[in-house]
Amino acid sequence: MAGHICARRWVALASAAGMLGVIQSVPAQERFPGRPVVVLVPSAAGGGQDVVMRLVAPPLAKLLGQPVVVENRPGASGSIATAAVVKSKPDGHTLMVTSATQGALNKHFQKPLPYDPDKDLVAVAALAAGPNVLVISAALPIRNVQELIAFAKSHPNKLTFASNGMGSGQHMVGELFNQLADVQIAHVPFKGSGEYLSQVIANNVSMGFASTLSTISLINAGRLRALGVTTRTRVDSLPDVPSIAEFKPMSEFSYVNWVGLFAPAATPSEVVSAINRAVAETLRDPVLAGALRERGNDPVIMSTGEVQEYVRQQAARITRLVVDRNIQITP
Protein backbone atom coordinates (compact mmCIF):
# COMPACT_ATOMS: atom_id res chain seq x y z
CA MET A 1 0.00 0.00 0.00
CA ALA A 2 1.29 3.45 -0.85
CA GLY A 3 2.19 5.43 2.24
CA HIS A 4 1.32 8.89 1.04
CA ILE A 5 -2.22 9.31 2.33
CA CYS A 6 -1.60 10.98 5.66
CA ALA A 7 -5.15 12.27 6.01
CA ARG A 8 -6.73 8.81 6.00
CA ARG A 9 -7.88 7.10 9.19
CA TRP A 10 -9.41 3.64 8.93
CA VAL A 11 -12.59 3.26 10.94
CA ALA A 12 -14.56 0.30 12.24
CA LEU A 13 -17.41 -0.63 9.92
CA ALA A 14 -20.83 -2.10 10.49
CA SER A 15 -21.55 -5.50 8.99
CA ALA A 16 -23.65 -5.69 5.83
CA ALA A 17 -26.65 -6.71 7.90
CA GLY A 18 -26.20 -3.73 10.21
CA MET A 19 -25.86 -1.42 7.23
CA LEU A 20 -29.09 -2.67 5.73
CA GLY A 21 -30.75 -2.06 9.06
CA VAL A 22 -29.76 1.61 8.82
CA ILE A 23 -31.21 1.82 5.32
CA GLN A 24 -34.49 0.29 6.43
CA SER A 25 -34.75 2.68 9.37
CA VAL A 26 -35.42 5.57 6.98
CA PRO A 27 -39.17 6.40 6.85
CA ALA A 28 -41.07 4.72 4.02
CA GLN A 29 -41.60 7.96 2.09
CA GLU A 30 -37.84 8.51 2.04
CA ARG A 31 -36.81 4.88 1.60
CA PHE A 32 -33.33 4.49 0.18
CA PRO A 33 -32.54 3.12 -2.28
CA GLY A 34 -35.92 3.02 -3.97
CA ARG A 35 -34.65 3.32 -7.55
CA PRO A 36 -31.31 3.48 -9.43
CA VAL A 37 -28.64 5.74 -7.96
CA VAL A 38 -27.13 8.17 -10.49
CA VAL A 39 -23.58 9.39 -9.90
CA LEU A 40 -22.46 12.37 -11.97
CA VAL A 41 -18.81 12.64 -12.98
CA PRO A 42 -17.80 16.28 -13.60
CA SER A 43 -15.26 15.36 -16.30
CA ALA A 44 -15.07 13.36 -19.51
CA ALA A 45 -14.78 9.58 -19.54
CA GLY A 46 -11.36 8.12 -18.85
CA GLY A 47 -10.23 10.56 -16.15
CA GLY A 48 -9.28 9.56 -12.61
CA GLN A 49 -12.66 10.28 -11.00
CA ASP A 50 -14.43 8.43 -13.80
CA VAL A 51 -12.17 5.39 -13.42
CA VAL A 52 -12.65 5.25 -9.64
CA MET A 53 -16.43 5.49 -9.89
CA ARG A 54 -16.72 2.88 -12.63
CA LEU A 55 -14.67 0.48 -10.53
CA VAL A 56 -16.80 1.13 -7.43
CA ALA A 57 -20.22 1.18 -9.12
CA PRO A 58 -20.76 -2.57 -9.82
CA PRO A 59 -19.99 -3.89 -6.31
CA LEU A 60 -21.83 -0.94 -4.75
CA ALA A 61 -24.90 -1.68 -6.89
CA LYS A 62 -24.80 -5.32 -5.83
CA LEU A 63 -24.75 -4.32 -2.18
CA LEU A 64 -27.52 -1.72 -2.53
CA GLY A 65 -29.75 -3.92 -4.66
CA GLN A 66 -30.20 -1.11 -7.19
CA PRO A 67 -28.24 -0.09 -10.30
CA VAL A 68 -25.56 2.58 -9.83
CA VAL A 69 -25.50 4.59 -13.06
CA VAL A 70 -22.38 6.64 -13.82
CA GLU A 71 -22.98 9.70 -16.02
CA ASN A 72 -20.30 12.06 -17.33
CA ARG A 73 -21.27 15.75 -17.15
CA PRO A 74 -18.04 17.57 -18.08
CA GLY A 75 -17.56 21.29 -18.39
CA ALA A 76 -16.92 24.50 -16.44
CA SER A 77 -14.43 22.78 -14.08
CA GLY A 78 -17.16 20.66 -12.55
CA SER A 79 -19.75 23.37 -11.95
CA ILE A 80 -22.18 21.94 -14.55
CA ALA A 81 -22.36 18.60 -12.76
CA THR A 82 -22.41 20.27 -9.35
CA ALA A 83 -25.32 22.53 -10.28
CA ALA A 84 -27.29 19.47 -11.48
CA VAL A 85 -26.69 17.65 -8.20
CA VAL A 86 -27.57 20.70 -6.10
CA LYS A 87 -30.87 21.05 -7.96
CA SER A 88 -31.74 17.35 -7.68
CA LYS A 89 -34.13 15.88 -5.13
CA PRO A 90 -32.14 15.43 -1.88
CA ASP A 91 -32.93 11.77 -1.33
CA GLY A 92 -29.60 10.08 -2.05
CA HIS A 93 -30.47 8.95 -5.56
CA THR A 94 -28.36 11.66 -7.28
CA LEU A 95 -24.75 12.01 -6.20
CA MET A 96 -21.51 13.42 -7.56
CA VAL A 97 -17.94 12.13 -7.45
CA THR A 98 -15.29 14.84 -7.16
CA SER A 99 -12.25 16.05 -5.24
CA ALA A 100 -12.13 17.62 -1.79
CA THR A 101 -11.00 20.95 -3.23
CA GLN A 102 -12.99 21.47 -6.42
CA GLY A 103 -15.80 23.35 -4.69
CA ALA A 104 -13.36 25.78 -3.09
CA LEU A 105 -11.60 26.34 -6.42
CA ASN A 106 -14.85 27.00 -8.26
CA LYS A 107 -15.96 29.39 -5.53
CA HIS A 108 -12.72 31.32 -5.85
CA PHE A 109 -12.39 31.42 -9.63
CA GLN A 110 -15.96 31.22 -10.99
CA LYS A 111 -17.96 34.22 -9.82
CA PRO A 112 -20.83 34.18 -9.49
CA LEU A 113 -21.64 30.49 -9.10
CA PRO A 114 -25.30 29.36 -9.26
CA TYR A 115 -24.75 27.56 -5.93
CA ASP A 116 -22.63 27.77 -2.79
CA PRO A 117 -20.48 24.63 -2.49
CA ASP A 118 -20.07 25.21 1.26
CA LYS A 119 -23.81 25.35 1.89
CA ASP A 120 -25.44 23.38 -0.94
CA LEU A 121 -23.35 20.19 -0.89
CA VAL A 122 -22.51 17.64 1.79
CA ALA A 123 -19.59 15.21 1.65
CA VAL A 124 -20.96 11.68 1.98
CA ALA A 125 -18.09 9.21 1.64
CA ALA A 126 -14.45 8.92 0.65
CA LEU A 127 -13.52 6.57 -2.19
CA ALA A 128 -9.81 6.66 -3.04
CA ALA A 129 -6.68 8.76 -2.96
CA GLY A 130 -3.34 8.78 -4.71
CA PRO A 131 -0.90 10.97 -6.57
CA ASN A 132 -1.13 12.66 -9.89
CA VAL A 133 1.83 12.01 -12.14
CA LEU A 134 3.66 14.48 -14.35
CA VAL A 135 3.67 12.91 -17.80
CA ILE A 136 5.14 14.18 -21.05
CA SER A 137 5.18 13.03 -24.64
CA ALA A 138 7.75 10.31 -25.22
CA ALA A 139 8.78 12.37 -28.27
CA LEU A 140 10.27 15.09 -26.05
CA PRO A 141 14.00 14.76 -25.23
CA ILE A 142 13.40 15.33 -21.51
CA ARG A 143 14.15 12.60 -18.96
CA ASN A 144 13.56 14.16 -15.54
CA VAL A 145 12.15 17.18 -13.71
CA GLN A 146 15.49 19.00 -13.66
CA GLU A 147 15.78 18.73 -17.44
CA LEU A 148 12.17 19.90 -17.79
CA ILE A 149 12.82 23.01 -15.69
CA ALA A 150 16.03 23.77 -17.62
CA PHE A 151 14.24 23.38 -20.96
CA ALA A 152 11.36 25.60 -19.81
CA LYS A 153 13.77 28.31 -18.67
CA SER A 154 15.68 28.29 -21.95
CA HIS A 155 12.52 28.10 -24.08
CA PRO A 156 9.99 30.47 -22.40
CA ASN A 157 6.33 29.80 -23.27
CA LYS A 158 7.22 26.96 -25.62
CA LEU A 159 5.99 24.18 -23.33
CA THR A 160 2.32 23.70 -22.48
CA PHE A 161 0.50 21.73 -19.78
CA ALA A 162 -2.98 20.25 -20.03
CA SER A 163 -5.63 20.04 -17.32
CA ASN A 164 -9.24 18.95 -17.01
CA GLY A 165 -10.50 22.53 -16.87
CA MET A 166 -9.84 26.12 -15.82
CA GLY A 167 -9.54 26.28 -12.05
CA SER A 168 -9.39 22.50 -11.67
CA GLY A 169 -7.05 20.72 -9.28
CA GLN A 170 -4.83 19.71 -12.20
CA HIS A 171 -4.68 23.36 -13.27
CA MET A 172 -3.59 24.35 -9.75
CA VAL A 173 -0.87 21.68 -9.74
CA GLY A 174 0.51 23.12 -12.96
CA GLU A 175 0.42 26.68 -11.64
CA LEU A 176 2.16 25.58 -8.44
CA PHE A 177 4.85 23.90 -10.54
CA ASN A 178 5.31 27.12 -12.52
CA GLN A 179 5.72 29.17 -9.36
CA LEU A 180 8.11 26.87 -7.51
CA ALA A 181 10.25 26.22 -10.60
CA ASP A 182 10.06 29.87 -11.70
CA VAL A 183 9.05 28.94 -15.25
CA GLN A 184 6.22 29.80 -17.62
CA ILE A 185 4.53 26.69 -18.98
CA ALA A 186 1.26 27.72 -20.64
CA HIS A 187 -2.01 26.16 -19.53
CA VAL A 188 -4.32 24.41 -22.03
CA PRO A 189 -7.70 23.36 -20.53
CA PHE A 190 -9.68 20.31 -21.65
CA LYS A 191 -12.84 18.61 -20.39
CA GLY A 192 -11.00 15.69 -18.85
CA SER A 193 -7.81 13.63 -18.73
CA GLY A 194 -9.19 11.06 -21.11
CA GLU A 195 -9.60 13.82 -23.68
CA TYR A 196 -6.18 15.42 -23.38
CA LEU A 197 -3.82 12.49 -22.84
CA SER A 198 -3.98 11.60 -26.53
CA GLN A 199 -2.86 15.17 -27.23
CA VAL A 200 0.08 14.78 -24.85
CA ILE A 201 1.03 11.49 -26.51
CA ALA A 202 0.97 13.22 -29.90
CA ASN A 203 3.05 16.12 -28.46
CA ASN A 204 0.32 18.60 -29.35
CA VAL A 205 0.42 19.48 -25.63
CA SER A 206 3.75 19.03 -23.88
CA MET A 207 2.69 17.60 -20.54
CA GLY A 208 -0.02 17.07 -17.96
CA PHE A 209 -0.50 16.30 -14.26
CA ALA A 210 -2.94 13.42 -14.60
CA SER A 211 -4.15 10.81 -12.15
CA THR A 212 -2.27 7.52 -12.01
CA LEU A 213 -5.67 5.93 -12.63
CA SER A 214 -5.68 7.24 -16.20
CA THR A 215 -1.95 7.09 -16.96
CA ILE A 216 -0.33 3.91 -15.59
CA SER A 217 -1.26 1.72 -18.57
CA LEU A 218 -0.01 4.40 -20.98
CA ILE A 219 3.24 4.78 -19.03
CA ASN A 220 3.81 1.03 -18.94
CA ALA A 221 3.14 0.84 -22.69
CA GLY A 222 5.77 3.51 -23.34
CA ARG A 223 3.29 5.98 -24.81
CA LEU A 224 3.88 8.51 -22.03
CA ARG A 225 7.02 9.26 -20.03
CA ALA A 226 6.52 9.77 -16.29
CA LEU A 227 8.83 12.37 -14.75
CA GLY A 228 7.48 12.52 -11.20
CA VAL A 229 4.56 11.89 -8.85
CA THR A 230 2.94 14.78 -7.00
CA THR A 231 3.05 13.22 -3.53
CA ARG A 232 6.06 13.71 -1.26
CA THR A 233 7.01 10.04 -1.42
CA ARG A 234 7.17 7.52 -4.23
CA VAL A 235 4.32 5.06 -4.75
CA ASP A 236 4.33 1.29 -5.06
CA SER A 237 2.62 1.25 -8.45
CA LEU A 238 5.38 3.42 -10.01
CA PRO A 239 8.44 2.56 -7.89
CA ASP A 240 10.97 3.92 -10.39
CA VAL A 241 9.25 7.30 -10.75
CA PRO A 242 10.60 9.88 -8.27
CA SER A 243 8.56 12.36 -6.31
CA ILE A 244 8.67 15.83 -7.86
CA ALA A 245 9.64 17.08 -4.39
CA GLU A 246 12.95 15.19 -4.69
CA PHE A 247 14.18 17.76 -7.20
CA LYS A 248 15.44 21.22 -6.24
CA PRO A 249 13.76 23.74 -6.08
CA MET A 250 10.57 21.64 -5.75
CA SER A 251 10.90 20.49 -2.12
CA GLU A 252 7.60 22.19 -1.17
CA PHE A 253 5.68 20.55 -3.99
CA SER A 254 2.86 18.24 -2.85
CA TYR A 255 -0.60 17.29 -4.11
CA VAL A 256 -2.85 14.31 -3.27
CA ASN A 257 -5.67 13.40 -5.64
CA TRP A 258 -8.53 12.54 -3.24
CA VAL A 259 -11.89 11.36 -4.64
CA GLY A 260 -15.21 11.19 -2.77
CA LEU A 261 -18.99 11.27 -3.08
CA PHE A 262 -21.14 14.35 -2.47
CA ALA A 263 -24.90 14.88 -2.20
CA PRO A 264 -27.31 17.83 -1.94
CA ALA A 265 -26.98 19.40 1.51
CA ALA A 266 -30.62 18.72 2.41
CA THR A 267 -30.20 14.95 2.06
CA PRO A 268 -31.47 13.30 5.29
CA SER A 269 -28.70 12.28 7.66
CA GLU A 270 -30.04 8.72 7.71
CA VAL A 271 -29.56 8.46 3.95
CA VAL A 272 -26.10 10.02 4.09
CA SER A 273 -25.15 7.49 6.77
CA ALA A 274 -26.57 4.62 4.73
CA ILE A 275 -24.56 5.60 1.65
CA ASN A 276 -21.41 6.03 3.72
CA ARG A 277 -21.76 2.57 5.24
CA ALA A 278 -22.51 0.98 1.88
CA VAL A 279 -19.46 2.59 0.29
CA ALA A 280 -17.23 1.55 3.19
CA GLU A 281 -18.44 -2.03 2.96
CA THR A 282 -17.83 -1.99 -0.80
CA LEU A 283 -14.26 -0.69 -0.39
CA ARG A 284 -13.46 -3.60 1.94
CA ASP A 285 -13.76 -5.96 -1.03
CA PRO A 286 -10.16 -7.13 -1.68
CA VAL A 287 -10.81 -7.42 -5.42
CA LEU A 288 -11.88 -3.78 -5.65
CA ALA A 289 -9.08 -2.64 -3.34
CA GLY A 290 -6.58 -4.50 -5.49
CA ALA A 291 -7.93 -2.94 -8.68
CA LEU A 292 -7.52 0.54 -7.19
CA ARG A 293 -4.00 -0.15 -5.94
CA GLU A 294 -2.92 -1.53 -9.31
CA ARG A 295 -3.81 1.90 -10.66
CA GLY A 296 -1.84 3.78 -8.02
CA ASN A 297 -4.62 4.61 -5.56
CA ASP A 298 -5.56 3.39 -2.10
CA PRO A 299 -9.18 2.84 -1.05
CA VAL A 300 -10.04 5.37 1.65
CA ILE A 301 -12.69 4.71 4.30
CA MET A 302 -13.93 7.58 6.46
CA SER A 303 -16.99 8.11 8.63
CA THR A 304 -19.38 10.89 7.63
CA GLY A 305 -17.89 13.19 10.24
CA GLU A 306 -14.34 12.44 9.11
CA VAL A 307 -15.03 12.95 5.43
CA GLN A 308 -16.78 16.27 6.05
CA GLU A 309 -13.93 17.54 8.24
CA TYR A 310 -11.35 16.39 5.69
CA VAL A 311 -13.12 18.28 2.90
CA ARG A 312 -13.34 21.39 5.08
CA GLN A 313 -9.61 21.27 5.87
CA GLN A 314 -8.54 20.65 2.29
CA ALA A 315 -10.79 23.39 0.94
CA ALA A 316 -9.23 25.82 3.41
CA ARG A 317 -5.72 24.66 2.44
CA ILE A 318 -6.27 25.11 -1.31
CA THR A 319 -7.86 28.52 -0.72
CA ARG A 320 -4.79 29.63 1.26
CA LEU A 321 -2.56 28.36 -1.53
CA VAL A 322 -4.45 30.32 -4.17
CA VAL A 323 -4.49 33.52 -2.10
CA ASP A 324 -0.95 33.31 -0.70
CA ARG A 325 0.60 32.60 -4.10
CA ASN A 326 -1.75 34.97 -5.91
CA ILE A 327 -2.67 32.34 -8.49
CA GLN A 328 -4.73 33.92 -11.25
CA ILE A 329 -6.74 32.34 -14.02
CA THR A 330 -6.58 33.79 -17.50
CA PRO A 331 -8.46 32.25 -20.42
Side-chain angles (χ1 to χ4, degrees):
M1 180 186 299
H4 54 267
I5 307 171
C6 61
R8 182 187 64 212
R9 181 166 71 85
W10 300 103
V11 295
L13 302 172
S15 66
M19 179 208 58
L20 292 174
V22 172
I23 296 175
Q24 292 168 356
S25 71
V26 180
Q29 67 270 23
E30 300 176 2
R31 189 176 182 86
F32 176 87
R35 61 181 188 279
V37 175
V38 176
V39 182
L40 300 186
V41 181
S43 58
Q49 295 169 358
D50 181 70
V51 172
V52 167
M53 198 61 237
R54 291 186 187 277
L55 287 171
V56 171
L60 180 60
K62 183 176 180 180
L63 186 63
L64 291 176
Q66 289 284 352
V68 175
V69 181
V70 182
E71 290 187 7
N72 296 89
R73 297 277 186 92
S77 298
S79 61
I80 292 175
T82 306
V85 171
V86 166
K87 294 176 183 177
S88 69
K89 186 176 180 181
D91 58 6
H93 291 92
T94 303
L95 306 171
M96 180 174 69
V97 57
T98 191
S99 70
T101 58
Q102 193 59 64
L105 289 170
N106 286 345
K107 190 173 181 179
H108 185 87
F109 291 119
Q110 297 187 40
K111 299 177 180 178
L113 279 174
Y115 58 86
D116 184 337
D118 297 331
K119 296 179 180 178
D120 296 335
L121 286 174
V122 61
V124 174
L127 293 174
N132 279 16
V133 56
L134 167 54
V135 290
I136 66 170
S137 168
L140 285 172
I142 295 171
R143 298 291 171 178
N144 55 51
V145 171
Q146 288 173 321
E147 290 183 6
L148 175 67
I149 294 172
F151 187 93
K153 285 181 179 292
S154 61
H155 300 81
N157 297 310
K158 183 172 182 178
L159 296 179
T160 55
F161 78 91
S163 82
N164 53 4
M166 301 288 288
S168 65
Q170 292 183 4
H171 181 191
M172 291 301 99
V173 175
E175 296 293 353
L176 180 59
F177 187 95
N178 273 339
Q179 291 203 356
L180 291 178
D182 191 25
V183 296
Q184 284 300 321
I185 302 175
H187 175 229
V188 182
F190 289 83
K191 291 183 178 180
S193 302
E195 182 181 76
Y196 73 66
L197 287 174
S198 62
Q199 299 302 308
V200 176
I201 291 169
N203 200 23
N204 295 325
V205 183
S206 308
M207 54 189 266
F209 295 85
S211 167
T212 55
L213 292 153
S214 57
T215 56
I216 280 183
S217 62
L218 296 171
I219 293 167
N220 291 338
R223 301 183 70 192
L224 289 171
R225 182 178 299 131
L227 300 189
V229 294
T230 61
T231 45
R232 290 194 178 276
T233 58
R234 300 190 185 199
V235 295
D236 293 344
S237 55
L238 293 169
D240 297 326
V241 178
S243 166
I244 293 173
E246 293 178 26
F247 298 92
K248 294 180 180 180
M250 310 302 290
S251 60
E252 296 181 21
F253 192 95
S254 178
Y255 178 80
V256 176
N257 185 29
W258 181 97
V259 179
L261 285 175
F262 292 74
T267 304
S269 60
E270 295 91 344
V271 174
V272 170
S273 178
I275 297 170
N276 180 278
R277 290 176 183 272
V279 170
E281 188 71 18
T282 300
L283 292 173
R284 294 179 72 190
D285 177 2
V287 174
L288 173 59
L292 289 169
R293 291 187 180 115
E294 285 174 4
R295 293 162 174 82
N297 273 229
D298 286 327
V300 179
I301 298 173
M302 293 178 172
S303 68
T304 54
E306 287 173 325
V307 71
Q308 288 160 17
E309 177 61 17
Y310 179 77
V311 169
R312 187 193 67 77
Q313 290 179 358
Q314 294 304 306
R317 183 187 67 83
I318 199 69
T319 298
R320 286 195 302 271
L321 171 68
V322 170
V323 173
D324 292 348
R325 297 189 178 276
N326 194 31
I327 296 175
Q328 304 292 325
I329 289 183
T330 54

